[in-house]
Amino acid sequence: MKNKLYYSLMIFLSKPGMSLFIAFELFILIFAANFALGQYNSKTMLYEPVAGYIERQGFVVQEAPMLPPPVNDPAEYRSEDGTVIITDDASAPAEHPKISDLLKDVDVMTLRHFFIGEFDITVLPDDVFDKLRLPVSEGRLFKSSSTDDALRVIITPNTKGYKAGDTVTLPQQTSDSSDGTVSLGADLDIKISAVLTDPTYIMHFSYSYDMSYENMYMNYDSSYYRDQFFCYTCQSELDRCHAAGELVNDDMTSLVSFRNDVSDEEYDAAKAALQKNGYTVTDNSLILENSRNKLEDNFRKLLPAVAVFGVIVLIGIVSCSVIGTKTMLKKLSIFYCCGATKGSCIAVSVGQTVITGIIAVIASTAATLVFTYSRLSDKFGFVFRTNNLLMSAGMILGAVLISAAAPTVLISKADPRELLTETAEE
Amino acid sequence: MLVKYVGLNIKSLVKNHLGIFLLIFISEIAAALCILFSYGLVMKMQDDNVDRESGMFFYKYSLNNVTGIADKSKEFIESMHGDIKNIDFKLQVKDKYGRERICNASPISGGRPHCCVLNDGSMELLENGKVMICGVEFEVAEIKEDGRGFKLHDGGMAYDLGLNLPDVPEAAVATEIRMDIISKPTSEKVDYINQKAKEIFNANVEYSPKPIDLMEKQQNNTFYAYAFVIVMIAVMNLAMYFRYIVGLRKKQIRILTSCGATTDMVKNIFLIENLIELIAGYLTAFLMFRLGLFRLLLNFYPGFEDYYSVKVYLMTFAIFAVGSALILMLLISPDIRRAISAGKEGAT
């Protein structure tokens, strides 16, 4: 076995051009296919974080902007340390009762919007935020756990000049009187962790102008929105920064999904209960369908290019291995005359193919790692997952089998003595 | 003599190395298909980019049978402060038989109706070469000459009708506005224009400019990269075969040079032989593309056929042949020279 591997390596090293060419083609194929799949993975950049909510039976529920609390003494709605008042918090004077109080056995994912100064901040639940895969042009997406003092946000590209790493100190606006007077609360530091690419997406589940849901991908382009920009942060970040003062919701949209399947009657009853309490309720099926269609349309366009690419590389690999084997046959015939069996010759040839495969794997793994851990992956929205690994393994196995098939057939048919005579004549 | 050698070379390749010959031929077909496909892919992506950019400026509104377009359009255009590139109103008018027809109205320079064209091909002219629109007689100032119109003084059929906006009769009913603006839209501008259209015409928005989509942009960038890599791999495959064939014919090259052939003559034999194979490969690829692949691609990329014409096929063939010949000569020249010098050393 050791000898065979040694001879394989020697043959590989004696004329590495052809093998390296096969390795190069295989590397390009693996990398390009992974790139396509990685990009497809990123297509779910907004879909996947909320898939757990939207793929079940449920509603998209919108709540009107919260008005200043209709109270005489605002202090009674503040906690002792003067923390945030949030509309669906049980202790807050919300206009609508909590959704989870109205409906049993439902999961509620709420998108909250706040305005702090000129910052329009969308707050996502931690589990949703941690799955977010929006490509960034500067900085890095952060995870929900943090010990930072400032409120960390991801920001859309903007004409205001906010960059990753900037910390902006803002006086918070606090609605603290029944007549709607707005006063300034304690300062709040906002730290910009990452700037998204231009264009990018804003997660939203609200109506379009014709009162229909398009999909959850709202396009954002800084040249279109000019001075308007958006930020994302997560619930735990907001909770951590409560001490800084008070925030008032601008509006809220929730995805409400039933934990178990419900009958049409139960569904309608739940819908009616929400509507009766002032919520605007729509089935989530349309937004789900539209979002899926958008993803599938994009993937469909990619298929022919990947298929053509695969075919051309396959032809290349087959022909390279045929030519490579033909070139190698004379050397193998010497082994044969020195006592090696045809089986050993085939093993040496396959060994060379495996070495080629290993080189391709090393190169493509290195390229993928560099791509994933550099900013390039964020810029292209490349997301590496298990499906990349499975596909790569399949492709390498397939390529090695195809490459091994040609030498096996050629060596079994070849007559080593004739080949040696030809070589001697030359 | 050269042709004879080329013929003999091809014959011996088919006879002695049929497998290699087939692989070369298949690779040539694949390379040609790649170039044809990549061309369409790049053109489509460019078109999509242009559409997206121009779509940034385009607005469309439906109107609920609005009359008094001449005055209202004036007010609307003034409210845009010179930012309108084109604006077009679709009107429903009646012909002389009282049948409903469609005509377009736009602000045409010169102040008079400039052409008489009706999009369904049945607006009849009055005897004097004029048209009647909502009881107002219009003189036809200009006819589009594309063979489907009519002769002004003979009466006949018109197929599209253009009016100058200020001349639109009060009673004419408008059903649609289409407009391009000059400056890049912002969300505020879009809101403002939609609001003005609503105020003045009670218009419903059918299309307003939208920001560019990230996924489409990413995908288009990827397509360009793919098109480049596909063509590069195809060409590299071909180059590899050519080098292998030179390796196979070392003996032949030595004999040729010993009989007095120069390096250039040997190169020409290889070049012509490969060009013949390339032409055959391209023709086969062209047939495969037109008869099979093309239909398949149309399912994925509607409108793909618009990018291909005889000129395009000739152009892609020229790129394919010249590119391959250049690479071929670049790669095999050193091999041929090496084979010749090895032969000379052997003789010495």
Side-chain angles (χ1 to χ4, degrees):
Chain A
M1 182 69 184
K2 264 187 184 175
N3 278 345
K4 281 171 197 160
L5 260 178
Y6 174 76
Y7 285 123
S8 300
L9 192 65
M10 284 302 111
I11 287 184
F12 176 84
L13 291 175
S14 69
K15 218 173 181 182
M18 194 69 75
S19 303
L20 285 178
F21 187 73
I22 298 180
F24 175 70
E25 287 212 11
L26 195 53
F27 156 70
I28 293 276
L29 176 67
I30 294 170
F31 185 69
N34 270 309
F35 186 82
L37 190 62
Q39 209 182 48
Y40 173 70
N41 287 342
S42 84
K43 302 284 180 217
T44 60
M45 51 186 117
L46 289 184
Y47 177 83
E48 198 157 285
V50 296
Y53 296 94
I54 204 164
E55 285 179 349
R56 286 184 274 153
Q57 258 184 307
F59 315 105
V60 179
V61 177
Q62 280 181 287
E63 194 174 320
M66 186 191 166
L67 298 170
V71 292
N72 298 323
D73 179 10
E76 69 181 289
Y77 297 108
R78 291 180 186 171
S79 59
E80 283 175 10
D81 58 356
T83 51
V84 179
I85 297 171
I86 296 172
T87 50
D88 78 339
D89 184 42
S91 62
E95 289 192 321
H96 310 282
K98 272 180 82 176
I99 294 171
S100 52
D101 288 342
L102 293 171
L103 306 178
K104 298 293 170 206
D105 294 328
V106 290
D107 288 320
V108 182
M109 189 220 98
T110 302
L111 289 179
R112 296 194 172 97
H113 291 283
F114 295 96
F115 273 104
I116 310 173
E118 58 182 353
F119 282 72
D120 182 344
I121 303 179
T122 300
V123 184
L124 303 171
D126 287 3
D127 60 327
V128 173
F129 185 83
D130 287 345
K131 287 181 196 160
L132 212 59
R133 287 286 179 275
L134 286 167
V136 299
S137 59
E138 278 179 49
R140 287 230 168 253
L141 298 177
F142 62 91
K143 293 288 173 194
S144 51
S145 56
S146 164
T147 53
D148 210 324
D149 288 336
L151 174 71
R152 291 180 304 167
V153 296
I154 303 163
I155 195 169
T156 56
N158 57 84
T159 51
K160 299 278 182 177
Y162 293 125
K163 296 189 204 85
D166 287 356
T167 302
V168 185
T169 304
L170 293 170
Q172 287 186 53
Q173 292 182 343
T174 311
S175 301
D176 57 2
S177 68
S178 54
D179 63 357
T181 312
V182 173
S183 63
L184 298 180
D187 287 351
L188 175 70
D189 286 337
I190 294 181
K191 187 176 180 183
I192 296 161
S193 292
V195 180
L196 299 169
T197 52
D198 203 2
T200 188
Y201 292 117
I202 309 295
M203 186 185 276
H204 86 129
F205 299 96
S206 47
Y207 291 114
S208 63
Y209 64 87
D210 59 353
M211 294 299 279
S212 67
Y213 287 104
E214 288 181 349
N215 56 50
M216 66 181 76
Y217 297 90
M218 184 176 124
N219 293 337
Y220 175 91
D221 174 8
S222 64
S223 65
Y224 180 87
Y225 281 96
R226 298 280 165 100
D227 294 341
Q228 200 182 355
F229 59 91
F230 300 87
C231 302
Y232 287 106
T233 192
C234 57
Q235 188 60 48
S236 61
E237 281 288 313
L238 197 68
D239 293 341
R240 197 167 45 74
C241 298
H242 275 180
E246 297 179 352
L247 298 171
V248 179
N249 272 7
D250 184 51
D251 65 61
M252 284 168 46
T253 311
S254 301
L255 283 181
V256 178
S257 54
F258 292 98
R259 288 186 192 131
N260 305 304
D261 284 348
V262 291
S263 65
D264 288 350
E265 290 76 27
E266 286 171 307
Y267 185 88
D268 291 342
K271 194 173 179 178
L274 288 170
Q275 283 169 335
K276 196 178 158 190
N277 283 281
Y279 288 104
T280 309
V281 185
T282 313
D283 302 343
N284 66 9
S285 53
L286 187 62
I287 196 165
L288 173 66
E289 192 188 329
N290 287 346
S291 299
R292 276 183 172 165
N293 285 345
K294 181 175 172 61
L295 295 176
E296 279 165 16
D297 281 351
N298 279 317
F299 189 57
R300 252 170 68 85
K301 281 188 202 160
L302 216 96
L303 279 178
V306 175
V308 170
F309 193 78
V311 168
I312 189 83
V313 171
L314 196 72
I315 292 171
I317 289 172
V318 170
S319 35
C320 278
S321 59
V322 169
I323 291 174
T325 315
K326 280 195 165 260
T327 321
M328 198 171 48
L329 276 178
K330 285 168 194 170
K331 283 172 194 162
L332 291 176
S333 59
I334 295 170
F335 294 162
Y336 185 78
C337 290
C338 294
T341 60
K342 272 196 176 181
S344 304
C345 291
I346 290 171
V348 168
S349 173
V350 171
Q352 194 208 2
T353 308
V354 171
I355 292 170
T356 308
I358 290 169
I359 290 172
V361 169
I362 293 169
S364 46
T365 308
T368 309
L369 285 177
V370 167
F371 200 77
T372 307
Y373 290 105
S374 68
R375 298 191 179 284
L376 284 171
S377 61
D378 285 339
K379 278 184 181 164
F380 284 92
F382 178 90
V383 177
F384 191 84
R385 287 198 190 141
T386 326
N387 55 8
N388 288 84
L389 211 61
L390 291 173
M391 186 187 68
S392 304
M395 284 169 82
I396 292 159
L397 197 69
V400 169
L401 283 176
I402 291 166
S403 307
T408 309
V409 174
L410 287 171
I411 294 169
S412 334
K413 283 186 178 173
D415 183 351
R417 283 181 200 85
E418 259 179 42
L419 281 167
L420 272 181
T421 320
E422 274 174 31
T423 316
E425 275 172 10
E426 271 179 43
Chain B
M1 199 62 154
L2 204 68
V3 178
K4 190 185 164 193
Y5 277 121
V6 169
L8 284 172
N9 269 351
I10 294 174
K11 198 177 159 189
S12 90
L13 187 67
V14 175
K15 196 178 166 189
N16 301 324
H17 303 280
L18 183 65
I20 296 291
F21 173 77
L22 284 177
L23 277 175
I24 293 174
F25 197 60
I26 291 169
S27 290
E28 279 168 354
I29 293 170
L33 281 175
C34 284
I35 289 172
L36 284 168
F37 173 62
S38 296
Y39 172 82
L41 206 61
V42 169
M43 292 309 290
K44 175 148 183 62
M45 294 313 132
Q46 270 179 359
D47 258 18
D48 284 357
N49 282 339
V50 171
D51 282 353
R52 214 168 38 207
E53 283 295 319
S54 58
M56 288 284 286
F57 306 90
F58 177 69
Y59 295 72
K60 186 178 168 189
Y61 303 99
S62 63
L63 304 180
N64 191 20
N65 297 338
V66 175
T67 53
I69 287 301
D71 292 339
K72 285 176 180 167
S73 65
K74 193 179 167 197
E75 188 189 345
F76 183 69
I77 291 167
E78 276 171 4
S79 72
M80 295 296 112
H81 310 294
D83 198 17
I84 294 178
K85 192 176 174 189
N86 303 304
I87 186 163
D88 200 299
F89 289 79
K90 195 184 267 185
L91 307 175
Q92 252 178 5
V93 296
K94 290 188 174 168
D95 67 10
K96 67 173 183 175
Y97 302 109
R99 294 176 302 195
E100 293 231 317
R101 303 293 176 210
I102 294 166
C103 87
N104 297 311
S106 49
I108 300 159
S109 57
R112 296 300 308 156
H114 82 135
C115 67
C116 206
V117 265
L118 232 190
N119 60 5
D120 67 353
S122 58
M123 169 70 101
E124 275 194 61
L125 283 181
L126 299 177
E127 289 300 317
N128 54 3
K130 292 181 177 180
V131 286
M132 184 76 80
I133 299 170
C134 299
V136 179
E137 222 174 67
F138 283 90
E139 187 178 338
V140 177
E142 184 187 331
I143 307 292
K144 283 186 179 174
E145 290 179 8
D146 66 351
R148 289 199 297 151
F150 53 87
K151 285 188 179 168
L152 186 57
H153 300 294
D154 296 340
M157 310 291 272
Y159 60 90
D160 196 4
L161 183 68
L163 282 184
N164 194 11
L165 261 176
D167 297 330
V168 174
E170 177 66 23
V173 169
T175 56
E176 191 181 290
I177 312 172
R178 298 161 71 91
M179 175 176 73
D180 277 313
I181 61 168
I182 295 164
S183 61
K184 212 169 182 180
T186 60
S187 52
E188 289 87 2
K189 189 184 285 173
V190 173
D191 287 347
Y192 172 78
I193 295 174
N194 288 349
Q195 187 200 332
K196 281 286 164 196
K198 184 82 185 166
E199 270 175 28
I200 299 170
F201 300 106
N202 195 23
N204 297 312
V205 182
E206 281 200 7
Y207 182 86
S208 283
K210 291 179 182 65
I212 292 168
D213 186 274
L214 170 64
M215 287 187 215
E216 272 179 41
K217 195 181 175 189
Q218 281 182 339
Q219 200 170 49
N220 285 1
N221 291 342
T222 312
F223 276 140
Y224 285 128
Y226 272 6
F228 174 74
V229 175
I230 287 172
V231 172
M232 194 185 76
I233 292 272
V235 170
M236 281 170 80
N237 281 348
L238 279 181
M240 188 194 59
Y241 295 128
F242 295 147
R243 288 196 69 183
Y244 177 68
I245 289 171
V246 174
L248 278 180
R249 292 185 183 154
K250 272 181 194 164
K251 237 193 294 181
Q252 238 176 296
I253 293 170
R254 284 173 211 158
I255 294 166
L256 279 172
T257 46
S258 63
C259 293
T262 61
T263 312
D264 284 342
M265 283 166 84
V266 177
K267 272 190 208 169
N268 287 342
I269 292 171
F270 274 93
L271 187 66
I272 293 169
E273 179 193 339
N274 285 304
L275 274 177
I276 291 170
E277 285 165 11
L278 286 170
I279 291 169
Y282 186 87
L283 285 176
T284 317
F286 167 75
L287 289 174
M288 282 171 74
F289 189 72
R290 286 303 308 178
L291 302 176
L293 258 179
F294 199 65
R295 284 178 202 164
L296 195 72
L297 288 172
L298 279 175
N299 294 330
F300 292 93
Y301 311 120
F304 211 57
E305 70 271 26
D306 299 344
Y307 308 120
Y308 294 93
S309 60
V310 178
K311 201 174 151 190
V312 167
Y313 288 120
L314 289 173
M315 189 188 74
T316 47
F317 172 69
I319 292 170
F320 175 68
V322 173
S324 304
L326 276 176
I327 291 163
L328 176 82
M329 289 324 290
L330 220 73
L331 281 169
I332 66 168
S333 290
D335 289 349
I336 292 173
R337 242 178 272 128
R338 224 173 288 137
I340 292 171
S341 60
K344 280 176 187 164
E345 276 169 28
T348 319

